[in-house]
């Protein structure tokens, strides 16, 4: 179960600030792989803590994308010349890297999309419109990003489906008993996040899938946050759909992934139609290409897919388990540092959470907090984080959010805590 | 760094942010509008009492927001009282000019005192994403004067 493996609470915390976090984790070396981390903002070294929104890119990703255009670029799947064959091999090679990374059974179960938002819209439009009927029920959680909320709401209003929200507790913990009560014979889909982008809560997705399957429902997992922090195995999880975006996974923007079980994808009609997704076209009738091309109409984001493959190679080279251990240490340390700031309240303290910390300060609005942090070159997000229903549940209009990635350090957490002291010096008078 | 931030968060702003003037919903308001900043989710409502000569007799607001948006709303309600609707809109044009550093528009004359009081908000010019915070109440006031129910900073 994903949720129980993330307990970092018992780790020793070094008292000296800014020191390396794990003996075998070369964070300085990793930082050198990310060119942007060497730059300054407002005359200070960048402290990038908005990874839950979008992550920075290692040189391997940047170089790969450039090299594709400089050396190996042509359209895919149609050229009868060497360069196109080469580009096609690289593109399909990236699909294989994604397949292995999430342990899908076949490459044809891996569909390239623009991003996770498009992947969810694809499932809503294709699977949802075809297989859901009035009165059917969809269960989501109170923690969903708008991308896993609005597409279902639109479908609800279009088809007369019923949408139910699985609640969270005051610490941001997912309430399994309450979730279980929402499931029933009418439940046709559970569309749920693997990890909250606001609270850091990690959901026990394998258990959720099992319970949903017991009532005959399909399960879509929003893996946008989860895939960046946790090892993912879609077969072990047994989910029916799994989506994520490349840009949060240290890859390029413009590329995302929909994993779907083959039997489901086979039964679904195309989402978009056009070139590259057909078998044959006559004036009377068009037949669809086999998977995965059926869902990849038009020329895809070729260089971006290949560069996503490079991002996956980079992460695999470090090891997702080791990244997770490093981030657990950062979470523990940053939580401790922030908790020491007067008037600072951390929002989301579920056991086993991952390295996203939302908080509010009693003396200042999150917008003012983010502006002051920015002048210290600390990039944090302030706002509703595309999760307005969650903000309503928490009773706050907005939060400040610091999200840690594989290249962050304890020194970054120190800079954040110092910036929060600066906020207090200005506001708490 | 601290000096730059002090330019933005001057004492007057912190004071108005903490203790906003004219905060509430007057029963005799003749028009109102809701303002919304989609970037941060902040919302406020501006209430105006405009007499039959078109003079703003009372102005107030309610809502939550950052120090900049609350202070700007608070100062605005103080400054538009006693002004005609046209004068209030002209004051916003001048303020917008000041807040954005936009050199295209020429400030209207005859509002030197008001502009001097608003000078404390001129620091937002160096923070482009915060200009919307400073102008939210003003967009909302303009909407209320023009009989619209809602305003956004988009």
């Amino acid at each position: 179960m994903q949720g129980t493996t993330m307990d970092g609470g018992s780790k020793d915390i070094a008292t000296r600030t800014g020191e390396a976090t794990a003996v075998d984790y070369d964070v300085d070396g990793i930082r050198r792989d990310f060119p942007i981390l060497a730059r300054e903002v407002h005359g200070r070294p960048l402290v990038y803590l908005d990874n839950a929104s979008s992550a920075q890119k290692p040189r391997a990703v940047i170089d790969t994308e450039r090299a594709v255009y400089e050396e190996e670029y042509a359209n895919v799947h149609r050229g009868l010349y060497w360069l196109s064959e080469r580009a096609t091999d690289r593109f399909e090679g990236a699909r294989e890297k994604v397949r292995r990374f999430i342990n899908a059974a076949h490459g044809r179960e891996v569909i390239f999309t623009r991003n996770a938002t498009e992947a969810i819209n694809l499932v809503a439009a294709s699977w949802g419109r075809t297989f859901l009927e009035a009165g059917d029920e969809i269960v989501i959680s109170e923690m969903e990003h708008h991308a896993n909320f609005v597409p279902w709401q639109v479908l609800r209003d279009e088809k007369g489906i019923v949408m139910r929200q699985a609640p969270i507790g005051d610490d941001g913990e997912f309430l399994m008993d309450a979730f279980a009560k929402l499931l029933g014979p009418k439940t046709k889909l559970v569309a749920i996040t693997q990890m909250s982008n606001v609270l850091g809560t990690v959901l026990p997705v394998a258990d959720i899938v099992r319970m949903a399957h017991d009532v005959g429902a399909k399960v879509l997992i929003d893996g946008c946050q989860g895939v960046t922090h946790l090892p993912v195995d879609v077969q072990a999880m047994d989910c029916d759909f799994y989506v994520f975006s490349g840009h949060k996974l240290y890859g390029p923007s413009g590329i995302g992934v929909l994993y779907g079980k083959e039997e489901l994808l086979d039964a679904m009609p195309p989402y978009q139609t056009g070139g590259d997704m057909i078998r044959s076209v006559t004036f009377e009738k068009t037949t669809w290409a086999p998977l995965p091309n059926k869902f990849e109409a038009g020329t895809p984001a070729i260089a971006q897919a290949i560069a996503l493959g490079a991002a996956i190679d980079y992460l695999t080279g470090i090891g997702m388990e080791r990244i997770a251990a490093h981030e657990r240490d950062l979470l523990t340390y940053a939580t401790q540092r922030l908790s020491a700031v007067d008037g600072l309240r951390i929002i989301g303290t579920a056991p086993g959470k991952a390295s996203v910390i939302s908080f509010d300060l009693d003396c200042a609005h999150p917008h003012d907090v983010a502006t002051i942090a920015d002048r210290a070159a600390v990039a944090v997000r302030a706002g509703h984080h595309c999760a307005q229903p969650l903000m309503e549940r928490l009773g706050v209009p907005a939060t400040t959010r610091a999200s840690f990635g594989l290249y962050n350090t304890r020194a970054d957490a120190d800079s954040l805590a110092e910036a929060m002291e600066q906020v207090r010096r200005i506001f708490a008078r | 760094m601290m000096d730059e931030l002090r330019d933005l968060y001057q004492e007057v702003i912190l004071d108005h942010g903490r203790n906003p003037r004219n905060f509430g919903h007057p029963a005799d308001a003749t028009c109102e509008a809701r303002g919304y900043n989609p970037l941060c989710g902040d919302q406020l409502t501006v209430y105006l009492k405009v007499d039959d000569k078109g003079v703003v007799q009372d102005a107030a607001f309610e809502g939550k927001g950052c120090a900049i948006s609350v202070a700007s709303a608070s100062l605005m309600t103080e400054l538009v009282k006693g002004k005609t609707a046209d004068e209030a809109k002209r004051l916003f044009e001048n303020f917008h000019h000041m807040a954005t550093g936009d050199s295209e528009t020429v400030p209207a004359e005859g509002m030197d005192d008001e502009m001097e009081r608003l000078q404390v908000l001129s620091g937002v010019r160096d923070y482009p994403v915060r200009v919307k915070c400073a102008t939210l109440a003003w967009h909302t006031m303009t909407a209320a004067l023009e009989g619209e129910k809602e305003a956004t900073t988009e």
Side-chain angles (χ1 to χ4, degrees), chain A residues 42 44 363 365 367-372 374-377 382-384 388 395 397-398 422 425-429, chain B residues 1-2 4-6 8-11 14 18 36-42 64-68 126-127 129-130 133:
Chain A
H42 306 306
R44 287 158 167 248
C363 63
H365 186 280
H367 253 193
D368 299 313
V369 172
T371 290
I372 292 167
D374 176 56
R375 288 288 140 162
H384 51 62
Q388 285 180 349
Q422 174 86 301
R425 279 195 287 279
I426 292 173
F427 276 90
R429 279 182 284 168
Chain B
M1 177 180 92
M2 203 62 176
E4 288 166 16
L5 287 167
R6 291 270 186 228
L8 181 64
Y9 293 108
Q10 295 186 33
E11 196 50 52
L14 296 176
R18 270 194 284 261
Y36 180 57
N37 183 350
L39 184 66
C40 58
D42 283 353
K64 280 185 179 168
C66 62
I68 305 291
D126 299 327
Y127 300 79
V129 295
R130 305 304 301 276
C133 307

Side-chain angles (χ1 to χ4, degrees), chain A residues 7-90:
Chain A
D7 185 9
S10 62
K11 270 190 108 63
D12 288 340
I13 296 162
T15 46
R16 274 177 299 152
T17 57
E19 74 179 50
T21 49
V23 265
D24 61 342
Y25 192 86
D26 179 16
V27 72
D28 292 334
I30 286 170
R31 291 180 68 78
R32 282 194 293 276
D33 293 336
F34 289 78
I36 205 170
L37 297 180
R39 74 154 296 161
E40 295 194 336
V41 173
H42 306 306
R44 287 158 167 248
L46 171 66
V47 176
Y48 188 76
L49 295 175
D50 196 17
N51 296 289
S53 182
S54 198
Q56 301 297 347
K57 320 304 173 198
R59 193 178 296 284
V61 167
I62 301 166
D63 286 351
T64 297
E65 195 167 334
R66 186 198 299 112
V68 168
Y69 287 127
E70 287 183 352
E71 295 163 22
E72 294 182 317
Y73 183 77
N75 212 331
V76 292
H77 301 147
R78 43 178 84 89
L80 288 171
Y81 47 91
W82 181 85
L83 202 56
S84 176
E85 281 177 24
R86 180 73 192 143
T88 303
D89 285 351
R90 297 288 313 270

Side-chain angles (χ1 to χ4, degrees), chain A residues 65-344:
Chain A
E65 195 167 334
R66 186 198 299 112
V68 168
Y69 287 127
E70 287 183 352
E71 295 163 22
E72 294 182 317
Y73 183 77
N75 212 331
V76 292
H77 301 147
R78 43 178 84 89
L80 288 171
Y81 47 91
W82 181 85
L83 202 56
S84 176
E85 281 177 24
R86 180 73 192 143
T88 303
D89 285 351
R90 297 288 313 270
F91 181 74
E92 292 304 323
R95 193 189 309 278
E96 171 60 17
K97 288 175 185 179
V98 172
R99 184 203 68 73
R100 232 180 298 139
F101 189 60
I102 61 174
N103 194 32
H106 306 287
R108 51 188 181 271
E109 295 181 320
V110 174
I111 314 289
F112 281 126
T113 61
R114 269 193 309 135
N115 47 36
T117 296
E118 186 177 62
I120 295 172
N121 275 275
L122 189 163
V123 175
S126 172
W127 183 85
R129 281 220 186 97
T130 307
F131 295 105
L132 295 180
E133 294 169 1
D136 286 347
E137 296 182 2
I138 297 179
V139 177
I140 61 165
S141 84
E142 284 185 324
M143 287 180 279
E144 298 313 315
H145 187 283
H146 292 165
N148 197 27
F149 184 98
V150 182
W152 309 118
Q153 196 177 43
V154 168
L155 195 65
R156 174 195 74 187
D157 295 345
E158 185 184 307
K159 302 208 63 157
I161 293 159
V162 177
M163 236 169 117
R164 299 191 183 281
Q165 263 188 305
I168 57 168
D170 290 340
D171 294 336
E173 74 278 25
F174 185 71
L175 302 173
M176 283 299 269
D177 291 349
F179 168 70
K181 290 198 182 99
L182 294 177
L183 298 174
K186 289 183 177 170
T187 314
K188 292 294 183 298
L189 177 70
V190 174
I192 207 155
T193 188
Q194 184 178 17
M195 173 185 155
S196 165
N197 68 314
V198 178
L199 305 170
T201 307
V202 175
L203 283 72
V205 282
D207 291 350
I208 288 170
V209 169
R210 189 176 38 74
M211 291 159 72
H213 283 174
D214 282 348
V215 298
K218 304 297 181 206
V219 182
L220 178 144
I221 303 291
D222 173 359
C224 278
Q225 302 296 328
V227 76
T228 71
H229 298 285
L230 311 159
V232 170
D233 181 335
V234 291
Q235 292 188 75
M237 204 185 287
D238 199 26
C239 57
D240 300 286
F241 301 104
Y242 187 93
V243 305
F244 65 93
S245 290
H247 70 96
K248 292 189 206 287
L249 194 66
Y250 308 94
S253 54
I255 188 76
V257 169
L258 164 65
Y259 159 81
K261 284 184 178 166
E262 186 171 6
E263 72 214 50
L264 292 172
L265 294 174
D266 262 339
M268 286 159 56
Y271 172 52
Q272 294 175 335
T273 54
D276 221 18
M277 54 74 66
I278 47 88
R279 175 171 281 145
S280 70
V281 180
T282 65
F283 190 74
E284 287 73 28
K285 185 169 172 58
T286 296
T287 53
W288 314 130
L291 294 172
N293 304 58
K294 183 170 85 172
F295 290 106
E296 292 181 359
T299 296
I302 299 165
Q304 289 71 22
I306 297 168
L308 173 61
I312 287 171
D313 285 344
Y314 181 80
L315 294 169
T316 310
I318 301 170
M320 291 307 290
E321 294 282 4
R322 293 175 69 224
I323 292 169
H326 172 72
E327 290 172 346
R328 273 199 299 276
D329 176 82
L330 284 178
L331 173 67
T332 307
Y333 180 75
T335 299
Q336 183 200 44
R337 285 300 314 257
L338 288 173
S339 301
V341 176
D342 260 1
L344 189 150

Side-chain angles (χ1 to χ4, degrees), chain B residues 101-129:
Chain B
D102 169 17
S103 55
E104 296 289 305
T105 56
V106 180
E109 290 174 7
M111 294 194 173
D112 295 349
D113 292 350
E114 289 85 347
M115 290 310 292
E116 201 177 315
R117 286 206 62 200
L118 289 169
Q119 196 62 38
V120 291
L121 284 161
S122 63
V124 296
R125 202 184 294 170
D126 299 327
Y127 300 79
V129 295

Side-chain angles (χ1 to χ4, degrees), chain A residues 347-362:
Chain A
I347 299 171
T349 52
K353 69 176 276 194
S355 56
V356 170
I357 307 179
S358 266
F359 58 90
D360 68 7
L361 271 166
D362 59 1

